């Protein structure tokens, strides 16, 4: 068995949706698990850091690039098995996420429908517990297989071991980069009703005259809403080069939420009470009320014309421009409302 040889100095910008950033010192595409093992052994033998890349839709790479072996995960394959009344769907890490959602919806398996249209690959969905429109993968994910890059062993982690919370997990902040995720299992409900928890989704379905929505109706509405906000990857979209939301929604104390409403003079401040008594605020609203309108441009970067949470890289933008603009947004929101914003993407070689 020959060990695959990594390529050298491979541009990462074309592999990332914002289209910015420098090269990987070493780069390898892994179409099977053996290649991931061999890549890890290769990087350990040379003392080169090891990093995993999926669809590059939640990643900002420094302009100087990364001095690492970047392994682009391209392992495909889907298996299903019936367990009692449920379906366990296991997908290899390189499966395109939205194709998996489409398959589940088509088969009538409930549990992923609101996550339609999220870019990227299956293997990244546990990293930040991807979520949208009232659903998160942590609600259906039962297990994942990963190569532990510290021990070199393959481990199976159950849901509790993933440490999921809002746009976060053990893999994002506690032990970033430790686990190379190989496959993920989701437990879905055949014939289950779709999740319609999110007011905007309910309104969209009602406007379409859909009384009792099917999974397909929900997928269609989610995709339409996402398109109207440039939240699907579309090459022809002027807002296309982004990581989607650049910040998570801010979660603050009830007293802080009241303070923000007072400062803005807006009692209609959008707020979502959390089970622990805190309140989730719309970071898009905070940015807009701190003086940055949708479409605001600063040189080659700016806010999306359709959503104030997305930072768009235009022609000539560098990663440094994206990050500097993000810092200005953070500082303005902090100065006006005293609320810190938390960046959502992962940064390689950069501090956000
Ligand atoms: C237009 C747009 C809309 C978006 N909307 C949403 C949304 O609604 N909800 C949401 O949650 N996110 C959203 N995102 C963010 C992004 O799509 C998701 O976070 C997605 O899961 C990232 O997948 P990826 O394969 O592109 O990961 P990448 O960007 O390639 O990687 C992200 C991180 O995951 C790690 N990683 C990737 N694959 C693996 C693996 N197999 N093993 C270990 N680590 C791995 C990388 O090292 C990196 O740290 C959006 C992005 C865009 C561009």
């Amino acid at each position: 068995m020959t060990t695959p040889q990594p390529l050298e100095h491979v541009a990462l910008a074309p592999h990332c949706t914002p289209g910015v950033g420098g090269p990987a010192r070493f780069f390898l595409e892994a179409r099977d698990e053996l290649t991931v093992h061999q890549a890890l052994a290769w990087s350990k033998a040379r003392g080169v850091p090891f990093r995993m890349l999926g669809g590059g839709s939640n990643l900002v790479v420094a302009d100087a690039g990364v001095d690492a072996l970047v392994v682009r995960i391209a392992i495909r394959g889907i298996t299903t098995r019936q367990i009692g009344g449920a379906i366990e769907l296991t997908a290899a890490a390189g499966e395109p996420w939205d194709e998996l959602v489409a398959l589940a919806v088509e088969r009538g398996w409930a549990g992923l429908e609101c996550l339609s249209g999220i870019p990227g690959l299956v293997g990244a969905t546990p990293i930040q517990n991807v979520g949208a429109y009232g659903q998160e993968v942590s609600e259906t994910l039962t297990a994942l297989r990963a190569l532990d890059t510290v021990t070199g062993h393959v481990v199976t982690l159950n849901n509790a071991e993933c440490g999921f919370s809002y746009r976060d997990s053990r893999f994002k902040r506690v032990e970033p980069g430790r686990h190379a995720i190989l496959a993920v299992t989701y437990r879905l409900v055949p014939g289950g009703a779709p999740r319609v928890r999110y007011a905007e989704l309910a309104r969209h379905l009602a406007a379409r005259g859909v009384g009792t929505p099917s999974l397909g109706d929900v997928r269609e509405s989610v995709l339409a809403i996402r398109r109207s906000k440039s939240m699907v990857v579309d090459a022809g979209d002027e807002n296309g080069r982004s990581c989607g939301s650049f910040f998570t929604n801010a979660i603050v104390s009830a007293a802080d939420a009241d303070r923000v409403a007072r400062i803005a003079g807006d009692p209609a401040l959008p707020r979502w009470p959390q089970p622990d008594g805190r309140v989730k605020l719309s970071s898009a609203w905070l940015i807009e009320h701190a003086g940055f309108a949708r479409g605001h441009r600063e040189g080659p970067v700016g806010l999306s014309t359709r959503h104030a949470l997305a930072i768009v890289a235009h022609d000539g933008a560098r990663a440094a421009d994206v990050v500097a603009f993000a810092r200005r947004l953070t500082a303005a929101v902090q100065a006006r409302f005293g609320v810190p914003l938390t960046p959502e993407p992962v940064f390689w070689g950069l501090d956000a």
Side-chain angles (χ1 to χ4, degrees):
M1 183 75 52
T2 53
T3 305
Q5 276 308 303
L7 301 170
E8 293 195 48
H9 304 292
V10 172
L12 290 177
H15 290 282
C16 298
T17 54
V20 296
R25 176 71 181 84
F26 300 102
F27 182 92
L28 190 64
E29 187 163 274
R31 293 176 184 276
D32 52 41
E33 293 193 5
L34 178 62
T35 306
V36 182
H37 285 268
Q38 290 173 328
L40 179 64
W42 187 98
S43 72
K44 278 185 188 284
R46 288 162 184 78
V48 172
F50 177 90
R51 290 181 189 258
M52 294 290 281
L53 175 68
S57 63
N58 210 28
L59 183 62
V60 183
V61 178
D63 296 308
V66 276
D67 193 6
L69 169 60
V70 172
V71 176
R72 185 168 196 281
I73 194 88
I75 309 171
R76 304 292 300 262
I78 296 173
T79 57
T80 58
R81 67 176 181 147
Q82 190 132 13
I83 300 214
I87 288 283
E88 278 199 349
L89 181 61
T90 298
E95 283 292 330
W97 171 249
D98 194 48
E99 289 180 21
L100 190 73
V101 175
L103 175 90
V105 166
E106 203 181 285
R107 302 267 172 98
W109 300 336
L112 304 179
E113 59 283 353
C114 298
L115 304 174
S116 295
I118 298 179
L121 308 181
V122 162
T125 59
I127 305 292
Q128 70 161 11
N129 179 19
V130 300
Y133 300 96
Q135 214 164 45
E136 294 182 326
V137 289
S138 59
E139 294 166 50
T140 45
L141 188 153
T142 53
L144 59 80
R145 287 179 66 247
L147 174 61
D148 181 335
T149 61
V150 174
T151 64
H153 294 133
V154 171
V155 292
T156 299
L157 303 177
N158 64 28
N159 183 298
E161 289 168 319
C162 295
F164 289 124
S165 59
Y166 167 62
R167 283 316 160 271
D168 205 0
S169 73
R170 151 185 196 172
F171 314 110
K172 191 165 181 187
R173 268 177 247 283
V174 183
E175 297 177 299
R178 173 163 180 171
H179 294 93
I181 296 172
L182 302 170
V184 186
T185 301
Y186 308 88
R187 183 170 295 173
L188 307 178
V189 184
R195 170 73 55 82
V196 184
R197 242 195 220 162
Y198 204 78
E200 191 181 8
L201 175 58
R203 280 197 301 273
H204 194 276
L205 287 160
R208 288 173 56 206
V210 179
T212 310
S214 64
L215 298 176
D217 292 327
V218 166
R219 174 169 167 80
E220 223 172 279
S221 276
V222 167
L223 288 174
I225 298 170
R226 293 186 72 94
R227 265 188 222 108
S228 73
K229 298 179 179 178
S230 295
M231 281 292 175
V232 288
V233 168
D234 174 355
D237 186 337
E238 59 171 340
N239 299 306
R241 285 176 53 190
S242 84
C243 290
S245 299
F246 202 90
F247 301 99
T248 57
N249 282 323
I251 299 181
V252 300
S253 68
D256 280 346
D258 290 342
R259 186 173 45 78
V260 170
R262 268 199 311 278
I263 295 169
D266 185 353
L269 165 78
R271 51 171 105 194
W272 296 273
Q274 300 298 292
D276 62 2
R278 292 186 301 160
V279 179
K280 192 191 274 179
L281 301 180
S282 156
S283 291
W285 186 98
L286 292 170
I287 289 169
E288 291 191 280
H289 285 76
F292 294 86
R294 290 174 207 173
H296 174 95
R297 273 292 281 270
E298 294 194 4
V301 292
L303 291 184
S304 161
T305 56
R306 289 171 163 176
H307 202 300
L309 262 193
I311 295 181
V312 177
H314 297 281
D315 283 350
R318 296 164 308 144
D321 300 317
V322 172
V323 169
F325 182 54
R327 287 203 189 109
R328 275 199 294 286
L329 298 177
T330 308
V333 168
Q334 179 72 42
R336 174 101 209 267
F337 298 114
V339 173
L341 292 181
T342 305
E344 190 181 295
V346 172
F347 298 87
W348 283 359
L350 284 162
D351 287 326

mmCIF file of all heavy atoms in Angstrom, residues 273-298:
data_model
loop_
_atom_site.group_PDB
_atom_site.id
_atom_site.type_symbol
_atom_site.label_atom_id
_atom_site.label_comp_id
_atom_site.label_asym_id
_atom_site.label_seq_id
_atom_site.Cartn_x
_atom_site.Cartn_y
_atom_site.Cartn_z
ATOM 1 N N PRO A 273 -36.634 34.233 24.849
ATOM 2 C CA PRO A 273 -36.274 33.750 26.187
ATOM 3 C C PRO A 273 -35.679 32.343 26.107
ATOM 4 O O PRO A 273 -36.150 31.502 25.342
ATOM 5 C CB PRO A 273 -37.617 33.720 26.928
ATOM 6 C CG PRO A 273 -38.544 34.564 26.118
ATOM 7 C CD PRO A 273 -38.068 34.496 24.697
ATOM 8 N N GLN A 274 -34.623 32.106 26.866
ATOM 9 C CA GLN A 274 -33.954 30.806 26.896
ATOM 10 C C GLN A 274 -34.379 30.028 28.150
ATOM 11 O O GLN A 274 -34.816 30.627 29.129
ATOM 12 C CB GLN A 274 -32.437 31.008 26.901
ATOM 13 C CG GLN A 274 -31.914 31.755 25.693
ATOM 14 C CD GLN A 274 -32.184 31.011 24.390
ATOM 15 O OE1 GLN A 274 -31.626 29.961 24.141
ATOM 16 N NE2 GLN A 274 -33.073 31.555 23.560
ATOM 17 N N PRO A 275 -34.238 28.709 28.137
ATOM 18 C CA PRO A 275 -34.677 27.916 29.296
ATOM 19 C C PRO A 275 -33.985 28.333 30.598
ATOM 20 O O PRO A 275 -34.559 28.198 31.671
ATOM 21 C CB PRO A 275 -34.275 26.475 28.916
ATOM 22 C CG PRO A 275 -34.089 26.493 27.436
ATOM 23 C CD PRO A 275 -33.741 27.882 27.038
ATOM 24 N N ASP A 276 -32.765 28.872 30.516
ATOM 25 C CA ASP A 276 -32.054 29.232 31.750
ATOM 26 C C ASP A 276 -32.353 30.656 32.220
ATOM 27 O O ASP A 276 -31.689 31.176 33.121
ATOM 28 C CB ASP A 276 -30.534 29.067 31.555
ATOM 29 C CG ASP A 276 -29.988 29.995 30.473
ATOM 30 O OD1 ASP A 276 -30.753 30.791 29.888
ATOM 31 O OD2 ASP A 276 -28.761 29.933 30.203
ATOM 32 N N GLY A 277 -33.365 31.300 31.626
ATOM 33 C CA GLY A 277 -33.754 32.639 32.074
ATOM 34 C C GLY A 277 -33.055 33.745 31.293
ATOM 35 O O GLY A 277 -33.454 34.906 31.357
ATOM 36 N N ARG A 278 -31.997 33.387 30.554
ATOM 37 C CA ARG A 278 -31.342 34.418 29.756
ATOM 38 C C ARG A 278 -32.162 34.681 28.486
ATOM 39 O O ARG A 278 -33.179 34.022 28.250
ATOM 40 C CB ARG A 278 -29.917 33.988 29.415
ATOM 41 C CG ARG A 278 -29.029 33.948 30.668
ATOM 42 C CD ARG A 278 -27.579 33.657 30.320
ATOM 43 N NE ARG A 278 -27.431 32.391 29.624
ATOM 44 C CZ ARG A 278 -26.380 32.058 28.880
ATOM 45 N NH1 ARG A 278 -25.390 32.903 28.733
ATOM 46 N NH2 ARG A 278 -26.314 30.884 28.283
ATOM 47 N N VAL A 279 -31.707 35.618 27.697
ATOM 48 C CA VAL A 279 -32.480 36.033 26.518
ATOM 49 C C VAL A 279 -31.551 36.050 25.311
ATOM 50 O O VAL A 279 -30.445 36.603 25.375
ATOM 51 C CB VAL A 279 -33.061 37.456 26.736
ATOM 52 C CG1 VAL A 279 -33.847 37.915 25.515
ATOM 53 C CG2 VAL A 279 -33.943 37.498 27.974
ATOM 54 N N LYS A 280 -32.021 35.423 24.224
ATOM 55 C CA LYS A 280 -31.240 35.476 22.987
ATOM 56 C C LYS A 280 -31.674 36.712 22.200
ATOM 57 O O LYS A 280 -32.875 36.939 22.011
ATOM 58 C CB LYS A 280 -31.488 34.214 22.163
ATOM 59 C CG LYS A 280 -30.506 34.056 21.010
ATOM 60 C CD LYS A 280 -30.935 32.967 20.059
ATOM 61 C CE LYS A 280 -30.473 31.592 20.481
ATOM 62 N NZ LYS A 280 -30.939 30.562 19.527
ATOM 63 N N LEU A 281 -30.695 37.517 21.803
ATOM 64 C CA LEU A 281 -30.983 38.703 20.992
ATOM 65 C C LEU A 281 -30.527 38.456 19.559
ATOM 66 O O LEU A 281 -29.676 37.610 19.317
ATOM 67 C CB LEU A 281 -30.228 39.921 21.545
ATOM 68 C CG LEU A 281 -30.524 40.312 22.993
ATOM 69 C CD1 LEU A 281 -29.702 41.539 23.373
ATOM 70 C CD2 LEU A 281 -32.012 40.604 23.197
ATOM 71 N N SER A 282 -31.102 39.209 18.636
ATOM 72 C CA SER A 282 -30.684 39.098 17.240
ATOM 73 C C SER A 282 -29.417 39.927 17.045
ATOM 74 O O SER A 282 -29.443 41.158 17.178
ATOM 75 C CB SER A 282 -31.806 39.621 16.329
ATOM 76 O OG SER A 282 -31.256 40.024 15.097
ATOM 77 N N SER A 283 -28.323 39.270 16.722
ATOM 78 C CA SER A 283 -27.081 40.024 16.501
ATOM 79 C C SER A 283 -27.184 40.876 15.233
ATOM 80 O O SER A 283 -26.542 41.926 15.136
ATOM 81 C CB SER A 283 -25.878 39.079 16.456
ATOM 82 O OG SER A 283 -25.664 38.534 17.743
ATOM 83 N N ALA A 284 -28.005 40.444 14.271
ATOM 84 C CA ALA A 284 -28.222 41.264 13.067
ATOM 85 C C ALA A 284 -28.870 42.594 13.478
ATOM 86 O O ALA A 284 -28.482 43.671 13.017
ATOM 87 C CB ALA A 284 -29.110 40.524 12.072
ATOM 88 N N TRP A 285 -29.863 42.513 14.364
ATOM 89 C CA TRP A 285 -30.546 43.726 14.860
ATOM 90 C C TRP A 285 -29.541 44.621 15.581
ATOM 91 O O TRP A 285 -29.523 45.840 15.379
ATOM 92 C CB TRP A 285 -31.678 43.295 15.801
ATOM 93 C CG TRP A 285 -32.575 44.385 16.288
ATOM 94 C CD1 TRP A 285 -33.788 44.743 15.799
ATOM 95 C CD2 TRP A 285 -32.313 45.271 17.408
ATOM 96 N NE1 TRP A 285 -34.309 45.783 16.521
ATOM 97 C CE2 TRP A 285 -33.417 46.131 17.509
ATOM 98 C CE3 TRP A 285 -31.263 45.411 18.306
ATOM 99 C CZ2 TRP A 285 -33.509 47.119 18.487
ATOM 100 C CZ3 TRP A 285 -31.334 46.406 19.280
ATOM 101 C CH2 TRP A 285 -32.454 47.250 19.368
ATOM 102 N N LEU A 286 -28.695 44.033 16.412
ATOM 103 C CA LEU A 286 -27.701 44.828 17.158
ATOM 104 C C LEU A 286 -26.764 45.550 16.187
ATOM 105 O O LEU A 286 -26.459 46.729 16.363
ATOM 106 C CB LEU A 286 -26.883 43.923 18.094
ATOM 107 C CG LEU A 286 -27.640 43.304 19.281
ATOM 108 C CD1 LEU A 286 -26.776 42.238 19.964
ATOM 109 C CD2 LEU A 286 -28.049 44.375 20.289
ATOM 110 N N ILE A 287 -26.325 44.844 15.161
ATOM 111 C CA ILE A 287 -25.400 45.451 14.188
ATOM 112 C C ILE A 287 -26.098 46.597 13.451
ATOM 113 O O ILE A 287 -25.558 47.701 13.314
ATOM 114 C CB ILE A 287 -24.888 44.373 13.196
ATOM 115 C CG1 ILE A 287 -23.921 43.429 13.929
ATOM 116 C CG2 ILE A 287 -24.223 44.987 11.973
ATOM 117 C CD1 ILE A 287 -23.540 42.180 13.146
ATOM 118 N N GLU A 288 -27.334 46.342 13.031
ATOM 119 C CA GLU A 288 -28.053 47.393 12.286
ATOM 120 C C GLU A 288 -28.302 48.606 13.178
ATOM 121 O O GLU A 288 -28.167 49.741 12.745
ATOM 122 C CB GLU A 288 -29.357 46.843 11.726
ATOM 123 C CG GLU A 288 -29.095 45.827 10.613
ATOM 124 C CD GLU A 288 -30.346 45.432 9.837
ATOM 125 O OE1 GLU A 288 -31.089 44.584 10.362
ATOM 126 O OE2 GLU A 288 -30.572 45.977 8.753
ATOM 127 N N HIS A 289 -28.630 48.362 14.451
ATOM 128 C CA HIS A 289 -28.908 49.480 15.360
ATOM 129 C C HIS A 289 -27.637 50.106 15.919
ATOM 130 O O HIS A 289 -27.709 51.105 16.622
ATOM 131 C CB HIS A 289 -29.858 49.031 16.482
ATOM 132 C CG HIS A 289 -31.270 48.880 15.977
ATOM 133 N ND1 HIS A 289 -31.672 47.809 15.218
ATOM 134 C CD2 HIS A 289 -32.347 49.696 16.084
ATOM 135 C CE1 HIS A 289 -32.936 47.960 14.888
ATOM 136 N NE2 HIS A 289 -33.378 49.086 15.397
ATOM 137 N N ALA A 290 -26.496 49.525 15.600
ATOM 138 C CA ALA A 290 -25.222 50.162 15.964
ATOM 139 C C ALA A 290 -24.715 50.990 14.785
ATOM 140 O O ALA A 290 -23.585 51.490 14.806
ATOM 141 C CB ALA A 290 -24.201 49.105 16.359
ATOM 142 N N GLY A 291 -25.528 51.106 13.734
ATOM 143 C CA GLY A 291 -25.186 52.027 12.650
ATOM 144 C C GLY A 291 -24.707 51.394 11.360
ATOM 145 O O GLY A 291 -24.214 52.089 10.479
ATOM 146 N N PHE A 292 -24.847 50.083 11.228
ATOM 147 C CA PHE A 292 -24.388 49.419 9.988
ATOM 148 C C PHE A 292 -25.585 48.822 9.256
ATOM 149 O O PHE A 292 -26.119 47.785 9.673
ATOM 150 C CB PHE A 292 -23.375 48.313 10.315
ATOM 151 C CG PHE A 292 -22.098 48.836 10.885
ATOM 152 C CD1 PHE A 292 -21.978 49.076 12.250
ATOM 153 C CD2 PHE A 292 -21.012 49.109 10.060
ATOM 154 C CE1 PHE A 292 -20.792 49.566 12.782
ATOM 155 C CE2 PHE A 292 -19.824 49.607 10.590
ATOM 156 C CZ PHE A 292 -19.711 49.837 11.948
ATOM 157 N N ALA A 293 -25.980 49.489 8.181
ATOM 158 C CA ALA A 293 -27.142 49.001 7.426
ATOM 159 C C ALA A 293 -26.721 47.840 6.527
ATOM 160 O O ALA A 293 -25.541 47.705 6.184
ATOM 161 C CB ALA A 293 -27.700 50.127 6.570
ATOM 162 N N ARG A 294 -27.692 47.034 6.152
ATOM 163 C CA ARG A 294 -27.412 45.992 5.147
ATOM 164 C C ARG A 294 -26.817 46.642 3.907
ATOM 165 O O ARG A 294 -27.268 47.720 3.519
ATOM 166 C CB ARG A 294 -28.715 45.295 4.728
ATOM 167 C CG ARG A 294 -29.274 44.438 5.809
ATOM 168 C CD ARG A 294 -30.612 43.884 5.406
ATOM 169 N NE ARG A 294 -31.369 43.633 6.625
ATOM 170 C CZ ARG A 294 -32.633 43.263 6.665
ATOM 171 N NH1 ARG A 294 -33.305 43.101 5.554
ATOM 172 N NH2 ARG A 294 -33.215 43.067 7.820
ATOM 173 N N GLY A 295 -25.834 46.012 3.332
ATOM 174 C CA GLY A 295 -25.217 46.568 2.119
ATOM 175 C C GLY A 295 -24.113 47.578 2.417
ATOM 176 O O GLY A 295 -23.430 48.029 1.505
ATOM 177 N N HIS A 296 -23.914 47.929 3.711
ATOM 178 C CA HIS A 296 -22.832 48.855 4.083
ATOM 179 C C HIS A 296 -21.497 48.311 3.560
ATOM 180 O O HIS A 296 -21.171 47.157 3.785
ATOM 181 C CB HIS A 296 -22.812 48.982 5.614
ATOM 182 C CG HIS A 296 -21.666 49.782 6.140
ATOM 183 N ND1 HIS A 296 -21.777 51.122 6.416
ATOM 184 C CD2 HIS A 296 -20.380 49.439 6.428
ATOM 185 C CE1 HIS A 296 -20.608 51.559 6.847
ATOM 186 N NE2 HIS A 296 -19.741 50.551 6.867
ATOM 187 N N ARG A 297 -20.742 49.167 2.844
ATOM 188 C CA ARG A 297 -19.467 48.724 2.263
ATOM 189 C C ARG A 297 -18.295 49.458 2.895
ATOM 190 O O ARG A 297 -18.376 50.654 3.143
ATOM 191 C CB ARG A 297 -19.447 49.056 0.762
ATOM 192 C CG ARG A 297 -20.029 48.049 -0.186
ATOM 193 C CD ARG A 297 -19.252 46.770 -0.304
ATOM 194 N NE ARG A 297 -18.063 46.806 -1.148
ATOM 195 C CZ ARG A 297 -18.037 46.541 -2.435
ATOM 196 N NH1 ARG A 297 -19.149 46.247 -3.083
ATOM 197 N NH2 ARG A 297 -16.891 46.546 -3.106
ATOM 198 N N GLU A 298 -17.221 48.754 3.151
ATOM 199 C CA GLU A 298 -15.952 49.386 3.538
ATOM 200 C C GLU A 298 -14.889 48.770 2.649
ATOM 201 O O GLU A 298 -14.382 47.685 2.936
ATOM 202 C CB GLU A 298 -15.662 49.174 5.025
ATOM 203 C CG GLU A 298 -16.676 49.906 5.893
ATOM 204 C CD GLU A 298 -16.289 50.027 7.364
ATOM 205 O OE1 GLU A 298 -15.175 49.604 7.735
ATOM 206 O OE2 GLU A 298 -17.121 50.540 8.123
#
